[in-house]
Amino acid sequence: MADYPKLMILSEKFRGVSFKLDKDEMSAGRNDQRDICIKDGSVSSYHCDFIHRDDTYFVVDHDSTNGTRLNNVPLAPGEPAALKNSDLLQLGNIEVMFDFDDGTSVMTTRTETGIDLTSADTGLSTVKEFANLSPFAGNERVSADRNRKVLLGVIAAVGLIVLVLVICMIIMILRMG
């Protein structure tokens, strides 16, 4: 083997960051204890494993919250999927390219597009909705509710002050006249 394969992050937030797969088994996730640490809320703390066996590299999803996709196909948790040079992976919403040119493959460029307009799934995206972009996602809803209550309280207080001022002015006018 000439060199170790790399995982290169393509997503804008971490673009250019790469990780060498220099062990037979490497774990990936948001947690600092992982061999490959990607600090993004859509990546689970223990997202997946990269395994090297018999001159082949595999990715295995570790039952992650937002899943792992290989070339836009969701992986079943615990099922190894073989990786080839230039495969695209999605760990949560972080896109990563598997880069391993071992010299045995011939690079050809070919583009194929197929559209089945008779499919019942026409117009549906294959990209799943992310159930959890952050471990603190619920806090945004609580904060919005609290802000709404504070705003209503301020409006009520201002309304009460205006009402008291109007009543005071009416009393002053009645006393003068």
Side-chain angles (χ1 to χ4, degrees):
M1 181 168 19
D3 199 14
Y4 293 108
K6 293 185 292 190
L7 296 174
M8 295 188 338
I9 298 181
L10 304 176
S11 297
E12 187 175 345
K13 186 175 178 183
F14 301 100
R15 185 171 291 141
V17 175
S18 65
F19 302 95
K20 248 185 199 178
L21 298 177
D22 55 2
K23 299 180 193 172
D24 284 338
E25 289 193 23
M26 293 182 73
S27 62
R30 190 179 63 236
N31 190 312
D32 288 326
Q33 295 173 339
R34 303 289 152 236
D35 299 306
I36 299 167
C37 180
I38 303 171
K39 294 283 190 179
D40 184 79
S42 69
V43 176
S44 293
S45 58
Y46 184 4
H47 201 93
C48 64
D49 289 312
F50 292 93
I51 301 169
H52 178 227
R53 296 264 155 60
D54 302 321
D55 294 328
T56 303
Y57 287 85
F58 298 90
V59 60
V60 181
D61 182 74
H62 192 68
D63 200 19
S64 59
T65 303
N66 292 316
T68 303
R69 299 172 80 83
L70 175 59
N71 297 320
N72 207 27
V73 176
L75 299 182
E79 303 271 333
L83 296 170
K84 300 181 307 286
N85 187 38
S86 299
D87 274 346
L88 294 178
L89 293 150
Q90 278 182 289
L91 311 181
N93 66 357
I94 300 297
E95 191 171 42
V96 178
M97 184 178 77
F98 177 74
D99 181 27
F100 183 46
D101 187 7
D102 60 358
T104 61
S105 61
V106 176
M107 184 68 152
T108 59
T109 304
R110 179 177 169 193
T111 303
E112 250 183 66
T113 304
I115 301 173
D116 180 8
L117 297 177
T118 61
S119 171
D121 294 336
T122 300
L124 297 179
S125 173
T126 58
V127 177
K128 75 179 212 174
E129 290 292 321
F130 296 113
N132 181 14
L133 290 178
S134 167
F136 309 107
N139 292 345
E140 292 170 5
R141 278 181 261 140
V142 171
S143 180
D145 288 342
R146 185 178 56 233
N147 289 345
R148 194 173 304 119
K149 288 177 184 177
V150 168
L151 180 62
L152 286 174
V154 168
I155 290 172
V158 169
L160 186 62
I161 291 170
V162 168
L163 181 63
V164 167
L165 287 174
V166 168
I167 291 173
C168 288
M169 288 184 67
I170 291 174
I171 292 174
M172 287 175 59
I173 291 172
L174 289 175
R175 284 189 183 168
M176 289 180 162

